[in-house]
Amino acid sequence: GDTAPRVVEDYRGVIQILSDGTIVRSDPAVLRPPERFADVPGVQWEEVVYDAAHGLKLRVYRSAAAGAAGKLPVLVYFHSGGFCLGTFEQPNFHSGCLRLASELPAVVLSADYRLGPEHRLPAAIDDAVAALSWLRGQAAALGSGAPHPWLAESADFTNVFVAGESSGANMSHHVAVRRGSGQLALDQLRIAGHVLLTPYFGGAERTAAEAAEPPEGAPFTPEMSDAMWRLSLPADATRDHPAANPFGPDSPGLEPVVFPPVLVVSAGRDILHERALRYAARLKGMGKPVELAVLEGQEHAFFSRQPWGAAASELIRVVKSFVHKGDGAECT
């Protein structure tokens, strides 16, 4: 006769769903890298509310020397976390954005978004759209309103990139689809490209890496990936849901979608490596402007795991080349 709620879903003890629907969260810091990360002198940052209705903020980063450098590209960045974990306040995410702002250089906007299972997809994608819409409003305010002073001084609104890691990369894709299919108007901005770092995509049919037994101590496994999808997708949805699988049976066709240049960065030891390769190949086969960079020997979400590692430095070099390539002309 024990009627106490029982745990029906558990992600590493950090997120639990009980049988009565209660969601219990413990401190997610136990899953984060334990080390301290170096500061980046000369980079300013501050927090701004971009969606008051949902209490969502973003951090604006820029080099203190940005004024002397003239207008800088804008990099809108969405963090990793499987749609269930993370905030821009995490030291590893913060440190990576400091490096991006300093070394690209760029004005970086690191945006928080709603997380599952409290807010299931497409909530996070809607929040990404809201962040871009907020930036559009900032650009529109240049002539008649009062945009954020750092954006007014330093941001090149004609050279905006939408980037993210893992779940954030997934969000970057969906922003591209909504805009390229006419669902998202960003007429005050010029989206010059999208950057997808070890994108978090899924599918009901396993790839070879997803079906294989993960090596001992692997930082990201198929079991973890599956759990994140169960916690973030709509109830009873499969991994072929359009939010997870861009080429699933119910996903919109991408042939008519207008994409700006897309940079896909994959990691050779990532269980999702094959999905990233397929994604880039499918878009390229449709004639979309896609570049692919593979960092062999790296794991999923390596940038946020080690934002000061050698692989992160190579990643920043690759992204810098993409952001500053030519005149940034948008492909249509």
Side-chain angles (χ1 to χ4, degrees):
D2 184 2
T3 59
R6 68 187 189 284
V7 176
V8 295
E9 185 69 63
D10 186 320
Y11 184 77
R12 304 174 71 183
V14 174
I15 304 174
Q16 294 181 327
I17 300 179
L18 307 186
S19 55
D20 64 356
T22 301
I23 297 169
V24 179
R25 283 184 180 263
S26 62
D27 186 356
V30 299
L31 302 180
R32 298 174 191 164
E35 63 264 39
R36 295 175 62 88
F37 299 102
D39 199 1
V40 180
V43 177
Q44 305 168 311
W45 61 272
E46 70 175 36
E47 295 180 6
V48 179
V49 174
Y50 77 85
D51 185 344
H54 294 115
L56 293 172
K57 298 180 181 180
L58 55 78
R59 280 186 176 175
V60 183
Y61 298 81
R62 72 160 185 175
S63 169
K71 298 291 187 178
L72 295 174
V74 178
L75 186 79
V76 182
Y77 185 83
F78 302 106
H79 64 74
S80 58
F83 294 111
C84 300
L85 298 166
T87 168
F88 59 39
E89 296 176 345
Q90 287 183 212
N92 52 328
F93 294 157
H94 176 67
S95 189
C97 287
L98 289 172
R99 288 198 69 185
L100 290 168
S102 174
E103 297 177 42
L104 289 181
V107 175
V108 176
L109 308 182
S110 177
D112 262 354
Y113 51 90
R114 288 172 292 168
L115 302 173
E118 294 91 339
H119 305 284
R120 292 181 177 269
L121 290 164
I125 298 167
D126 292 340
D127 294 340
V129 167
L132 268 295
S133 297
W134 176 87
L135 184 62
R136 174 195 177 195
Q138 294 293 302
L142 281 175
S144 58
H148 188 285
W150 292 358
L151 297 179
E153 294 168 9
S154 305
D156 181 358
F157 292 108
T158 70
N159 204 19
V160 176
F161 294 82
V162 184
E165 180 185 49
S166 187
S167 53
N170 177 303
M171 293 161 64
S172 177
H173 162 77
H174 284 289
V175 168
V177 173
R178 290 198 188 185
R179 176 179 173 273
S181 58
Q183 301 173 63
L184 172 61
L186 296 175
D187 48 286
Q188 299 293 331
L189 306 174
R190 179 175 161 278
I191 305 300
H194 289 256
V195 180
L196 280 63
L197 311 179
T198 60
Y200 183 47
F201 293 132
E205 183 179 347
R206 301 283 195 193
T207 65
E210 292 168 346
E213 185 71 21
E216 185 72 23
F220 186 63
T221 67
E223 181 183 16
M224 295 177 188
S225 178
D226 290 353
M228 291 289 198
W229 286 126
R230 288 195 301 271
L231 290 168
S232 61
L233 288 172
D236 300 324
T238 73
R239 295 188 302 273
D240 275 338
H241 187 279
N245 187 351
F247 305 112
D250 298 320
S251 299
L254 299 183
E255 289 84 356
V257 177
V258 178
F259 278 80
V262 178
L263 171 64
V264 179
V265 179
S266 190
R269 295 180 62 188
D270 185 358
I271 62 166
L272 303 182
H273 179 45
E274 186 175 343
R275 291 198 181 278
L277 297 183
R278 288 179 181 178
Y279 174 80
R282 289 285 294 272
L283 290 190
K284 186 167 290 188
M286 298 175 194
K288 314 303 183 187
V290 180
E291 295 181 31
L292 173 68
V294 177
L295 275 72
E296 300 292 353
Q298 299 305 312
E299 301 277 2
H300 186 74
F302 65 88
F303 179 54
S304 60
R305 293 181 193 281
Q306 294 291 338
W308 284 95
S313 297
E314 174 63 12
L315 170 70
I316 290 175
R317 185 195 68 78
V318 170
V319 175
K320 180 176 182 178
S321 176
F322 179 74
V323 167
H324 292 284
K325 178 180 294 184
D327 61 2
E330 182 173 356
C331 296
T332 57

